[in-house]
Amino acid sequence: MILADLEEARDKIRFGRSRKSMVMTEQQKLVTAYHEAGHAIITLLEEKADPLHKVTIIPRGMALGATMSLPERDRLGMSLGEIEARLRVCFGGRIAEELIFKDITSGAQNDIEQATNLARLMVTKWGMSEAVGPVSYVEGEEHLFLGREVTRHVNHSEETAQAIDREVRRFIDEAYKDAVKHLTDNMDGLHAVSKALMRYETLSGEECQAVLDGADIDTLRPEPPAPTAEESAPAAANRPATDKPLPEGGTPAEGFAY
Amino acid sequence: MILADLEEARDKIRFGRSRKSMVMTEQQKLVTAYHEAGHAIITLLEEKADPLHKVTIIPRGMALGATMSLPERDRLGMSLGEIEARLRVCFGGRIAEELIFKDITSGAQNDIEQATNLARLMVTKWGMSEAVGPVSYVEGEEHLFLGREVTRHVNHSEETAQAIDREVRRFIDEAYKDAVKHLTDNMDGLHAVSKALMRYETLSGEECQAVLDGADIDTLRPEPPAPTAEESAPAAANRPATDKPLPEGGTPAEGFAY
Amino acid sequence: MILADLEEARDKIRFGRSRKSMVMTEQQKLVTAYHEAGHAIITLLEEKADPLHKVTIIPRGMALGATMSLPERDRLGMSLGEIEARLRVCFGGRIAEELIFKDITSGAQNDIEQATNLARLMVTKWGMSEAVGPVSYVEGEEHLFLGREVTRHVNHSEETAQAIDREVRRFIDEAYKDAVKHLTDNMDGLHAVSKALMRYETLSGEECQAVLDGADIDTLRPEPPAPTAEESAPAAANRPATDKPLPEGGTPAEGFAY
Amino acid sequence: MILADLEEARDKIRFGRSRKSMVMTEQQKLVTAYHEAGHAIITLLEEKADPLHKVTIIPRGMALGATMSLPERDRLGMSLGEIEARLRVCFGGRIAEELIFKDITSGAQNDIEQATNLARLMVTKWGMSEAVGPVSYVEGEEHLFLGREVTRHVNHSEETAQAIDREVRRFIDEAYKDAVKHLTDNMDGLHAVSKALMRYETLSGEECQAVLDGADIDTLRPEPPAPTAEESAPAAANRPATDKPLPEGGTPAEGFAY
Amino acid sequence: MILADLEEARDKIRFGRSRKSMVMTEQQKLVTAYHEAGHAIITLLEEKADPLHKVTIIPRGMALGATMSLPERDRLGMSLGEIEARLRVCFGGRIAEELIFKDITSGAQNDIEQATNLARLMVTKWGMSEAVGPVSYVEGEEHLFLGREVTRHVNHSEETAQAIDREVRRFIDEAYKDAVKHLTDNMDGLHAVSKALMRYETLSGEECQAVLDGADIDTLRPEPPAPTAEESAPAAANRPATDKPLPEGGTPAEGFAY
Amino acid sequence: MILADLEEARDKIRFGRSRKSMVMTEQQKLVTAYHEAGHAIITLLEEKADPLHKVTIIPRGMALGATMSLPERDRLGMSLGEIEARLRVCFGGRIAEELIFKDITSGAQNDIEQATNLARLMVTKWGMSEAVGPVSYVEGEEHLFLGREVTRHVNHSEETAQAIDREVRRFIDEAYKDAVKHLTDNMDGLHAVSKALMRYETLSGEECQAVLDGADIDTLRPEPPAPTAEESAPAAANRPATDKPLPEGGTPAEGFAY
C-alpha cells in the first residue's frame, strides 16, 4: 500500500532503520510500552496538543519507541497554551515509568532536552515569563555553517542568568506536576494503552483514543494483517501491516517524537 | 501599475515570497490581524513614530503579517523620544494578542528581539540611562566578514552587567506599560482595524487612520479591484490590487517593519 | 586654491564624501549646529585642549557634522590635564542637545565611545586612577592581523573589574559635569556659534572664537565667496569657498575630530 | 581455542597489548589484586550491576588490571538503580586500597572520572536529581569531528552550577558510602578474592563468586593449563590457558570495565 | 669608532631609528629629561639594580627617551631583592613628572606594564607572596607560533583571583612609595641630571653618577666632540660623538631599558 | 666509559647541552649549590621519595643545576604518601635559599609549577582531598595535536573552584612546612652537601648520603679523574669523570628531576 510505504520511508529518514530484529527483553518492551503510552495519553488529554498520529514500540535507530503527532501550527508560531501542552506531553514518558516501576531510566534524555529547549525559548526569546519580562536574551550558542563558526556569547549578568534559570525551572516543574496529575487520574487508561502496545506494537491515534475510552483491546482489530516484506521477521507477526495512512493535507514529517 | 510592482519587488526582497496560497486557519488570520492592528494603532498614536505606510496580514516568507513605516530620520540618528515611540510600537502586537485572546504566541519573538536590541543600544552605546551614565560598554558580539572572525568579549564587571540589565529592563517595561495603555484606551479602534484587515488584508496608513477615526469599514473602498497576475489565487479575491503607492522621495526599503 | 583642495581631500579620506545634496530637515540641521557648537565652544574654553581648527555642519560620510582640532602632542603622549580636557570636549555635543532641545539623540555614540576608551586607558594602562593604582590591566581585546587572531582575555578578578568600572565612570561623570558647567556658563555663545553655523555651515577656529567673543555674525565675513565646483549645489550657496588653510607644520590628518 | 583467541583480540583492542613481561613488585601486584577484587566483589553483590565476566591483574596497556562486566542493557538506557550500582562498583577499587593499605593511589583516576561522568549525566541530562529537576543543562563540551570544532558553552547561572555540583557530589558520596559498607561487610571475601587473583591472575565471574562464597582457593582449578604461545613467559606459569569463553549472544566489546 | 657604531646598531634594532629631526617642544624635552632622570637616579641608588649603562632623551622609534642598564643575572633568575629594585626603577619616570610638573602623562604606559608583569610573575609563578603562597597560577595567556594558537584559560577561582590582584597591587604600591622616597630625598640630583640631559642629551652611567654626586655640569665634558655622519643634524651639536662603549663581556642587547 | 656517555646523552636530551663555559659568579654557584642540596637532602630523608640518583650544579640548557631521582613506580601510579614526599622534595630548593640567604629567587618557578600540578591532580583527578571528594573536575586545558585545538572549559561552579583552590593550597602549605622542618633539622647536612657540590659539582646519590651522614668532604673521592673530551674545559677540572653509572634495570629517562 502506497501510503504505508511513504510513512515507512519518512520514519526511516527521521528515526533510522526499523530494528525489528533487535533483541529486547520483555521487561524492556514493557518499560517502553508504558513510556510511550504516557506520552500518548497526555497528547490525547491535552486539548491544545497537536493531534496524536500514532504510537509505537518498534525500535528504530536509537529510539526504543515513538509517539508522533500531526503538526498543524508548528511553523506559524505556537501559543503559550500550546507550548505548555507540549511540555506536559514531553514528561509523560518519564512519569509513566516512575508511576509503574518506581524507577526511572536515562531514556527520557531527549524528552528532557526538548522540554528544556522549549522552556528556555519561552523565557529568553518569547517573553512568556513575567519575572524575566519581554526581553530577548542571547545564550551561549553555536552554529557551524559552511565551515564557519558563529559563536554568540552570553551578554547578560549572572543576576539575569539566575532569573532565567528559575523561570525555566518553574515552567518545567509546573508541566511535570500537571503531567503527573494527568496520568495518576488515568491509570486505567495507562495500563490499557500499554497493554495494547505490547499486543499490537503500533497504534493509530484513533485506536489509542478508543483504548483510552475503554474499548476491548482484544477486538481492537478484526484480524492481524499480512506482514509487508520488511516486516516479515517473526517478531512482527502480530503487528498490523498497515499503519494508519496520513490524513490528506497533513505533513507527518513535521511530527513530534518522544 | 508600476509603483505597486516596485512595492511588491521590495517586499519580496525584504520578507520573502508572498505566500497567499498558504493555508491559515481563520483563527490564525484573526490572531495575526489583531497583532498587526496593535502595531499599526500605536504607530498612528505615537507622534514621534515614523509615519505608518501600510499594514498587511498576507503571509510573506516566515512572517504572517507586517506593519511598515516610512523612515524619515533613521540614518541620521534617533532621538530618545523617537526610540521610546519605536519601543512602544514593537510591543503593540504582543499586547493586542494578550488583550483579545488572553493567550500569547511565540510570534512576537522578532518584536521582542528588536526592542531589546534598541534598549541595549540606549543603555550601552547611546548614554541614555542615567543610572549607567554616558559610558560605552562592549557586549559580546561577533561578526563574520570574509571568513575572519571578530570576537569582542565583555570587558566590564558583573556589577556593571547587572546595572545594564536593569536599565534595559526598565526601558522595556515602561514601553510595554505605555503600549498597554494605548491599546486599552483604543479597544474600539483595535477591533475596527482588525476587522478591516480581515476584510481587505492590506490597509494603507491613511485607510488605517480612517478606520481608527471611526470610518465605516464596509465603505472604506468603493469596490474590490481586479487581482494582479500573482494575486489571482482564490485566497486573494478580497484583496485590493493596488497597495498604496509610495509617496515621492520616500524609500520604503529602509522602513521599519514589525 | 591648493590648500583648500588638500583639506577637502583629507576630509574625504577621514570622514567620507561630502554629502551636500543630502536632505536634512531644518530641525536636523539645527540639532547638528548646536551639537557641533557644543564641542567647539568647550574646545575653545579648555586651555589644554588642542587648538580648534574648524567646525562644520556639512554632512560627510556617516557624520552630520564635525569639530576638528589641530594635534600638537598626540603622538608624544598626553598629560592628565590634556586628557581631561579632551573628555570634556567629547561631551560638549550631547550636552548642547540636552540643554537646548530637552531631548538627546543617538548621534553622540562616537563621542561616548571615544570618551570611554580614553577613560579606560587612563585607569587600566596609564595609572591615572589612585583607587586602581599604577597597575596595568589587560581587558578583552582582539586584533586581526594577516588573518591571525590575537585574543587577550581579562586576567583580573571581578573585584578589580568593579574598581575599574567605577573609576572609568568617575572620570566620565566629572568630565560631563564640567562640560555642563562650561556650556551653561556660555549659553549666549552656544546660541551665537550655532546661529553662525546655520548661516555659514563651516567656521574656522578663529571665526568661532570671534563669535564666542561677541562678534556680529552678519559681518563675520565680508561677502559669500563663489562656490567651488563640488560646492556648486544650491545648498552650499552661503558657504565660504575657502576653509581656512592649515597653518604651516600642522598635519591635520592626525587631528582629533568629534 | 577460538573463543579465548577472540577474547584476547578484543582485550588487546580495548586495553592495549598484554604486558606480562612488565616488572611489577609484589607490593604493586598486591595493591592491584585488592583494587580489582574490590571492583569485582561489589559487582557480584549489586543485583542491578551487569554480570561479572572476569577480573584480572595481568597488566595490559596502561592498566595494571581490569574487572569486566557483560553488558545487557547498555545501549538501551539505564535505570537509576543500575546507574547507582555502577557508581558503587566504580569506587570498589579505591576503597579496597584504603581499607587494606591505609593509603590510596592515583590508580583510581579513571574510576573517579567514570563515576563523575555518570553522576553529571544523572544530574544534567537524565533528570535524576530532585534538587536540580528534570531540566537539561549544557556543560562545557567540545568535539572535534572532521576538523571542525563544536564548542558548547555553559548557559546556566553560577547558582545552577552550584546546585549541579552539589548533587553530583551527593550521588558520588552516597555511592562511595554504600561501597565502603559492601567491602567492610565482606572483608573475608575481599581477602579471598585478592589471594585468588595473586595465585591465578585472572578469575572468571563464576570463579570469583565461588571464592566469595567461601570456596577453597587451592582447589578452585584442578590443574594449571598449558600456556598459549603469547603466554609462555615464566610470569604466566600459574595462569589458566583458557579465560572463560564468552556466553553465546553476548558482545563483550560493549562491556564495562573498571 | 666601532663600539659606538655597534651601540647605534643595537639601539636601532631595539628601539627603532633615532629621530633626531623630530620636532619636540622645549617643554616636551624637559618632561622627558625629568622622566629619564627619575629612572636613572633610582637605578644608581638601588644597590641590587643592574648597573646603569646610559640615559638619553634622543627620541628613537616610539620612545621619547631611554634609560638602559647592563644585565648581569637576567637569564639566571632574579632574587626578590633584585626584582623589587627593578620595580622601583620602573616608577622613577612617572614619579619625577609628578613631583616636578604636578601633572602626569600617558608616557609611563610601558613602565607600568613592565612593573605589572613583574609583580604578577612574583605572585603567580615565583611564589613570592606569602598571602598567595608558593602556588603556580595560570593566567589568561596566548601565543601565536607558526599560526597555531595556544590559549590557556584561568583555572583558579574568583577568590584566588582577588588574592592575586591584591598582592600584585601591594608589591606595586610598596615599590611606588619607595621610589617616591628616593626621588624626594634626591631632588637636587633630579634637577641636576635633568639639566645635564637637556644639555648633553645622552649621559653614560658614570657621568650620571658624577652629576648625582654634585659634579659641575658645565665641565662634565671637556669639549663637544665632532658629530658622526648620522649625528650631523644641528640638534645633535652638543651631543658627545662617542657614547660610552660597552664594557667587555657585557651584552647590552640583553639589557633592561625603561 | 659507555655508561657515562649514555648518561650524558640522556641529560642532553632532557635538559639541553651542558653549559660548562657559562660564566656564573661564585655567588650564583653558591645559591645553586644550596638550592640543589635542599632538593637532594629531602629526597634522601623521605622514605617514600624515589631514590636519589645524582645532584649537580653544572648548568645545562636553561637550568643552573639539577637533582635527579630514579623512578620506580612512576608509570604505575603513585600513592598519596609518595606524592606528598615528592611535594616536599619540590620545595627543598626554595627553602634552602630562604634559610641561608634570607632572599629567594625566581629560580624556583619550575619547582612551584611541578608541585602545583601534582597538588591539582591530587584534588581534581585522584580524589585525594576529603573536602572536595572523589570527584573528577575538568580544569581549563588545551592540547595542540596535529594542528587541532582541543579546548576543555571548566564545567564546575565558582564555589567548587574555591574548594579546589583551598585544598591545593593546603597540600602545598603542608608540604612546604614539612620541608622547612627537614632542612632546619639538618642544617649541618645542608652546609656539607652544598660545600661538596661547590667542590665536586656533581655528586652521586651515595656520595650525597655519605656527606649527609658526616663523611669528610675532602676524602670523598681519592683523586680527581681525568676529564672526558667534552669536559676538558678548565671549569670542569675538579669534576669527576664518571658520574655514577645507572643501576641495572633502571631507566633514568623516566626519572624525576628538580
Side-chain angles (χ1 to χ4, degrees), chain D residues 227-248:
Chain D
T228 65
E230 179 164 345
E231 289 175 349
S232 59
N238 59 346
R239 198 177 319 121
T242 53
D243 288 352
K244 179 156 174 291
L246 289 170
E248 246 177 89

Side-chain angles (χ1 to χ4, degrees), chain E residues 76 78 80 126 136 159-160, chain F residues 22 94 104 109 165-166:
Chain E
L76 306 171
M78 284 182 288
L80 175 56
W126 298 338
S136 186
E159 191 181 57
T160 298
Chain F
M22 180 165 154
R94 153 66 56 99
I104 52 180
Q109 176 166 348
D165 278 8
R166 283 178 199 147

Side-chain angles (χ1 to χ4, degrees), chain C residues 7-68:
Chain C
E7 181 133 358
E8 170 62 28
R10 174 205 61 186
D11 290 353
K12 198 184 290 183
I13 287 165
R14 285 176 72 200
F15 300 102
R17 286 182 59 81
S18 167
R19 299 174 62 187
K20 285 164 192 168
S21 62
M22 179 166 155
V23 180
M24 284 174 68
T25 63
E26 275 307 293
Q27 175 68 9
Q28 285 172 331
K29 280 184 64 172
L30 197 63
V31 171
T32 304
Y34 272 102
H35 184 106
E36 299 305 330
H39 286 311
I41 286 170
I42 295 182
T43 306
L44 292 173
L45 293 175
E46 284 285 343
E47 248 177 79
K48 294 197 172 181
D50 293 325
L52 180 65
H53 173 54
K54 74 171 178 185
V55 51
T56 179
I57 59 169
I58 304 177
R60 191 177 278 279
M62 297 299 291
L64 298 185
T67 303
M68 285 176 252

Side-chain angles (χ1 to χ4, degrees), chain E residues 155-192:
Chain E
N155 65 355
H156 51 258
S157 66
E158 164 68 15
E159 191 181 57
T160 298
Q162 289 184 11
I164 292 170
D165 278 8
R166 282 178 200 146
E167 286 296 278
V168 167
R169 181 74 195 272
R170 192 173 59 75
F171 279 119
I172 296 253
D173 283 351
E174 281 174 12
Y176 200 91
K177 214 182 63 185
D178 295 343
V180 167
K181 182 157 172 27
H182 273 319
L183 292 189
T184 46
D185 286 354
N186 289 278
M187 286 300 281
D188 290 347
L190 182 61
H191 288 302

Side-chain angles (χ1 to χ4, degrees), chain E residues 104-254:
Chain E
I104 52 180
T105 71
S106 61
Q109 175 166 348
N110 287 338
D111 298 336
I112 292 172
E113 191 173 336
Q114 200 171 83
T116 303
N117 288 346
L118 269 178
R120 285 212 166 261
L121 287 168
M122 293 169 80
V123 176
T124 63
K125 298 292 181 199
W126 298 338
M128 289 175 173
S129 150
E130 265 192 48
V132 165
V135 185
S136 186
Y137 290 107
V138 174
E139 306 225 287
E141 293 171 5
E142 115 293 324
H143 285 284
L144 279 179
F145 182 58
L146 295 175
R148 288 177 176 183
E149 183 187 5
V150 176
T151 312
R152 293 242 192 79
H153 295 279
V154 169
N155 65 355
H156 51 258
S157 66
E158 164 68 15
E159 191 181 57
T160 298
Q162 289 184 11
I164 292 170
D165 278 8
R166 282 178 200 146
E167 286 296 278
V168 167
R169 181 74 195 272
R170 192 173 59 75
F171 279 119
I172 296 253
D173 283 351
E174 281 174 12
Y176 200 91
K177 214 182 63 185
D178 295 343
V180 167
K181 182 157 172 27
H182 273 319
L183 292 189
T184 46
D185 286 354
N186 289 278
M187 286 300 281
D188 290 347
L190 182 61
H191 288 302
V193 172
S194 173
K195 193 175 160 197
L197 278 170
M198 288 300 280
R199 171 129 178 214
Y200 297 102
E201 288 191 312
T202 298
L203 298 175
S204 70
E206 282 81 358
E207 287 168 341
C208 198
Q209 180 73 58
V211 172
L212 184 62
D213 292 342
D216 183 353
I217 292 171
D218 291 335
T219 61
L220 194 60
R221 292 184 190 160
E223 51 183 282
T228 66
E230 177 162 344
E231 289 174 350
S232 59
N238 60 344
R239 200 180 315 124
T242 53
D243 287 352
K244 183 159 170 287
L246 289 171
E248 246 176 87
T251 51
E254 293 175 0

